[in-house]
Amino acid sequence: MDAGLKPVLAGLLWLVLAAPAHADLYLCSDAEGHRRIQDRPCAAGQRADAHVRDKSVSGQPAAPAQPRAKAAVTPAAAEVGIRRNKGVICQLLDAEKRDAEAQIRGEAPPPVGESAKDNLVKIERQRSRVGCEAS
């Protein structure tokens, strides 16, 4: 796997698993082209390459957290969380795919030292592993 894509995907997986309740993810690039996935907007001096908002979030303030017993997590609830996380990962991979395709068409410069065509192959492989729908 490309050295530039591997940390991005590892970071994405970590963010999705570590903070499944947070709905927004940002893919940010600094002036040197280093990319970072984070759960807050890009800092000054960074470019937002992608912003994914969980479509299941209504935009309404969350209700106060209520204590609940560990037994309250049902297999069905876990499946909903897994589907939501998969959806966020697929949305980010789709954004990466659009970027790679634009680079191949010459509409955007590829990341320094990377091949847009190689990146597209890697992105498609990741989309297949995650189980993203064909786009």
Side-chain angles (χ1 to χ4, degrees):
M1 178 174 284
D2 185 310
L5 190 58
K6 191 173 186 178
V8 171
L9 294 175
L12 171 64
L13 183 60
W14 181 84
L15 278 173
V16 170
L17 294 176
H22 203 302
D24 290 351
L25 289 176
Y26 300 84
L27 178 60
C28 304
S29 295
D30 61 19
E32 291 82 35
H34 299 109
R35 290 179 153 184
R36 170 175 282 154
I37 297 172
Q38 55 196 46
D39 61 354
R40 59 192 176 281
C42 300
Q46 291 182 325
R47 183 182 75 233
D49 294 328
H51 173 207
V52 177
R53 181 176 301 266
D54 185 352
K55 293 178 182 173
S56 67
V57 175
S58 66
Q60 298 297 320
Q66 299 294 324
R68 42 180 211 193
K70 284 187 176 185
V73 177
T74 64
E79 180 63 29
V80 167
I82 290 169
R83 280 196 313 266
R84 182 176 63 217
N85 290 346
K86 176 182 166 185
V88 170
I89 292 170
C90 289
Q91 288 176 7
L92 280 172
L93 287 170
D94 288 345
E96 286 291 307
K97 180 180 177 180
R98 286 189 300 274
D99 289 348
E101 289 170 339
Q103 293 162 5
I104 290 169
R105 290 189 304 267
E107 297 169 0
V112 176
E114 295 183 21
S115 162
K117 290 180 182 180
D118 289 345
N119 285 345
L120 183 59
V121 168
K122 292 170 189 171
I123 292 164
E124 285 298 334
R125 193 175 303 138
Q126 289 294 357
R127 292 179 83 256
S128 176
R129 285 183 189 142
V130 173
C132 300
E133 296 177 11
S135 59

